[in-house]
Amino acid sequence: VRKNGLSMMFFSSIIVFLGIISSAIIITHHGSLDGLIIAATIWVTGGIGVAVGHSLYFIAIVTTFITYIFIRLFSQKTDFF
């Protein structure tokens, strides 16, 4: 995997964007479990996108599968999903 300065700068801007969006979601949901689950899902989705961007397809597929299982487990405990 080739990592040049431009791709690292791009991925660091993704991290900043995800942090802003996640904090806004947590604040709008008043720190409830729903807001935390949504924010964590956004972070994982961003990580999957970065993995695909670095051609780590197997890791992206496995992470997607694990995330789907966890979301389905938590959806039984909350009314959000």
Side-chain angles (χ1 to χ4, degrees), residues 32-72:
S32 68
L33 183 62
D34 293 338
L36 293 174
I37 292 172
I38 295 168
T41 305
I42 289 173
W43 273 100
V44 170
T45 305
I48 292 169
V50 169
V52 170
H54 277 290
S55 301
L56 302 171
Y57 301 117
F58 180 74
I59 293 174
I61 291 169
V62 169
T63 307
T64 302
F65 181 70
I66 291 171
T67 303
Y68 177 76
I69 290 172
F70 274 104
I71 288 174
R72 297 311 279 170

Side-chain angles (χ1 to χ4, degrees), residues 32-35 37 71 73-81:
S32 68
L33 183 62
D34 293 338
I37 292 172
I71 288 174
L73 287 175
F74 277 113
S75 69
Q76 296 171 0
K77 295 179 178 26
T78 63
D79 294 329
F80 180 76
F81 293 105

